[in-house]
Amino acid sequence: MEINQIYTELIREHSMESENKKELKDRTDHHMGINPSCGDELEISIKLNGDIIEDASYTGMGCAISQASASMMIDVIKGKTVKEAKEAIEVFLKMIKSEIEDEDDLLILEDAAILESISKLPQRVKCAVLSWRTLEEILSNK
């Protein structure tokens, strides 16, 4: 399978069939993120248990890139500490800006590393980072 096929399949899987897109009834924090340039709207919810992100989800509407990125991000942060989630956010944002020097740094991003090619599509960057910036806002005071 070629990288383009893998990319397309992961985007489809995460944007259309995501188990991460749901209301999180027992959330401890949430924040709405909006991309005014295209109208994407995502609400990220997390459930903290001490310093551990026990559960997370997203709801909202948007393009396949914003939906897939949110789903992939949630897969990355579930079960992680707040510190580890912040590190993942930092790596993702550096990746999107083409500022990663060591490709091994991308391992923390799991499937989300496939979105690296978005950096070559400036009009889609805001779609890909919407959920990550929204999570960053939630965790900013933690």
Side-chain angles (χ1 to χ4, degrees), residues 10 23 31 37 39 48 52-53 61 67-68 76 79-80 99 106 126 129 131 134 140:
L10 280 171
E23 293 286 332
H31 191 74
S37 62
L48 287 175
I52 304 292
I53 299 172
M61 57 179 221
Q67 300 285 299
V76 168
K80 301 290 192 323
E99 295 175 354
L106 299 179
K126 288 182 181 178
V129 302
S131 57
T134 305
S140 65

Side-chain angles (χ1 to χ4, degrees), residues 41-101:
E41 294 182 5
L42 293 175
E43 182 176 45
I44 304 297
S45 298
I46 64 171
K47 178 183 178 187
L48 287 175
N49 185 353
D51 195 37
I52 304 292
I53 299 172
E54 190 171 281
D55 202 1
S57 71
Y58 75 98
T59 57
M61 57 179 221
C63 68
I65 298 294
S66 69
Q67 300 285 299
S69 185
S71 177
M72 291 175 189
M73 178 194 72
I74 288 166
D75 283 347
V76 168
I77 67 167
K78 276 186 189 177
K80 301 290 192 323
T81 64
V82 168
K83 181 181 179 198
E84 290 169 325
K86 287 179 177 181
E87 289 169 0
I89 292 166
E90 182 180 346
V91 169
F92 186 85
L93 295 176
K94 281 184 177 181
M95 176 190 76
I96 290 296
K97 295 177 194 173
S98 300
E99 295 175 354
I100 295 291
E101 295 177 15

Side-chain angles (χ1 to χ4, degrees), residues 9-18 20 58 64 67-69 71-72 75 111:
E9 182 61 26
L10 280 171
I11 296 294
R12 187 193 63 71
E13 176 184 317
H14 279 279
S15 67
M16 298 183 73
E17 302 169 10
S18 177
N20 296 322
Y58 75 98
Q67 300 285 299
S69 185
S71 177
M72 291 175 189
D75 283 347
D111 283 354

